[in-house]
Structure formats: C-alpha cells, structure tokens
Amino acid sequence: MDSNFAALGKVSLRQFRAFIAVASTGSFTGAARSLNLTQSAISIMIGDLEEELELRLFDRTSRSVTLTEAGRELLAPAHRALVDLQAAVFSSRELSRKKRGKVRVAATPLFSSLFLPDFILTFQQEFPAVEIVVKDVSAPLLKSLVLEGEVDIVIGTPIPSDTEGPDGIAMDLLYLDEVVLVCKPDHRLAKLKSIDWSDLKDEPYIAVTFESGTREIVEAAMAAVDVTLTPVFEVSSVWTLLGMVAAGLGFAFVTGNSRLLTPLYNVRISRVGDRRIDRPIGIMRHPRRSLTPAAATFAQRLTEWMNAPGRRALQQR
C-alpha cells in the first residue's frame, strides 16, 4: 500500500465535511443543521478525527467553538480534498452518461471518406464534448492498431485469422455489404440480361489484392461454383480498380461501399449468379478490454446510423 494512503488511517471524507461545517458555522449545532445530521453525530465525527490526527482542532467553550492553530492549517487542505472528490465524481458521472470522453477509431480510407464524416457530425451534435480521433489506414493495419491499444475500435472486414485464436479480435456485425460486378457500360457483360459465373471465364479480370477481405470472399464464391479466374491486374486501391474498369481494361468486383463511387467513373453494376455475395462489415475491438462509455456509445450509434432504412437503400441502389 502507498505510504500516503497508509498515513490516512481511518480519516474519512465525512469527517472532513463535518470539520468544515463546524468551522464555517462556528457551532456544532449549525454544522448539524447544515448537514442534516444530529449534533451528537457531528461531535462523534470531530472527536474521532481529532483522535486519529492526534490534534485538537477546535477550542470549545459553552458559548463558542473556534479553530485552533492546527485546525486553521487543516482547513484549506480539507476544502481541497472535498473539491477534488466532487470534481472526480462529476467527471465519472459525465463519463458514465457518455457526455465526455475520447473515442479513437480506425477504418479503411473508403469507409472513412464515405460514411464517417456524416456520422461524426451527427454524433457530435448529440455528444459535443466527446473527442473523436480518426485513423484512415489500409485494411491489413486494422488488427494491429486495436490489439496494440492505439485505437478503441476498428471498422472493416476481418479475414478469418483476425477473429480466431487467443489473439483474435472481438467483432460485432455492423451490416452485410453486397459484393457486385462492375464493368464499362459498353462491355459485353453489361449487355447480358443476367450474368452467370461461366460468362466471366474469357474476360480480363481486375482484382484487389488478398490484403482486402473482398478478395477472399470473391475467391470463395468462385470456388463454390468451380470457377477459377486469373487476374490481369491486382491493385490495392478501389479508386485505382474503378479507374482501370472505366478505361476498359476489364471487369472487377466491388462492395456496396465502393459502388457509391461508381457514378464518378461511369461504370455499370451487376450481380453475378443467383446468390448474393455478402461481405461482413464489423466493428472490431480488443478481446480482453472493455470499451469506454464514449466508445461503446459511438459503436452503438454507428450501428443504428448505418442500418437506417434510407441509408441502407442508398448503399444498395
């Protein structure tokens, strides 16, 4: 135990409060009235405090109660102790009500640019005193940021190894993002009424790297229908991928997030096969650390915001 705490012995803040009340009112009766206690309770607390400190704090007569020199020296520190405690209690209550705090969040540049700005604006209107720190990083860095404690939460698609084993990230599903095919409007695939996986075999394929969760999801969908496609290009950035598709270099797969960018590139969106290809987008956190009240509220509000009917329809249009 710290020596400073050991020196406190049985001294309590209730005794300090009684001591300050007696010093302020100049009587045990006035102190009892101000604290809504009995006079005997005040006398017992002052007596116990004097005994514990081995100091006489008040000179008592039948007509007055005055501070001794030791009492005068103790008065200012006792005031500070109560003020500091009140500030600590207020701060804790503010934190528990999510009115203050700090949220550190990491997400891919795509999610950070398309969704986080509008959400943060909405969140800060409700919680203006919560500080928000955003890190926009590539998908492979997300896991290390949360496991090393640099951020509270990350938003993205985990690869299977991210959530497995003792060091796996804890994840709460944010929403399911549909993976779709994109090509130029005058591409052969764009002219088909429906696209089957077999229609893709002879077409140039542009893929994101395996660092993206989308690549593994697309590969799994291909394996399920016994189709193998070899990319002519592999890129890390969705902006590069869409630029190549718009230039006519081939077709590609993007997620519902990415397709919000497609009007900028004049590309056509289509589904492939008769089943949706879903990519889970999750809020990931450290498996053995609790979120702060502010971070937990941020995650809850983000889930509600992302799944609002109008916003989901916008992503799926």
Side-chain angles (χ1 to χ4, degrees), residues 112-123 125 305 311:
S112 297
S113 63
L114 291 179
F115 300 113
L116 276 184
D118 285 342
F119 170 70
I120 289 172
L121 179 63
T122 300
F123 185 83
Q125 289 171 349
W305 189 85
R311 192 158 294 104

Side-chain angles (χ1 to χ4, degrees), residues 91-107:
S91 177
S92 297
R93 286 175 177 169
E94 289 289 281
L95 283 173
S96 69
R97 295 168 184 162
K98 299 95 176 179
K99 292 183 178 179
R100 318 178 33 253
K102 184 176 184 178
V103 181
R104 302 167 302 160
V105 56

Side-chain angles (χ1 to χ4, degrees), residues 179-181 197 200 205-206 214 218 222 241 251-254 272:
V179 178
V180 292
L181 179 145
W197 286 101
L200 308 180
Y205 168 44
I206 306 167
T214 303
V218 171
M222 291 180 187
L241 181 131
F251 74 91
F253 289 96
V254 298
V272 178

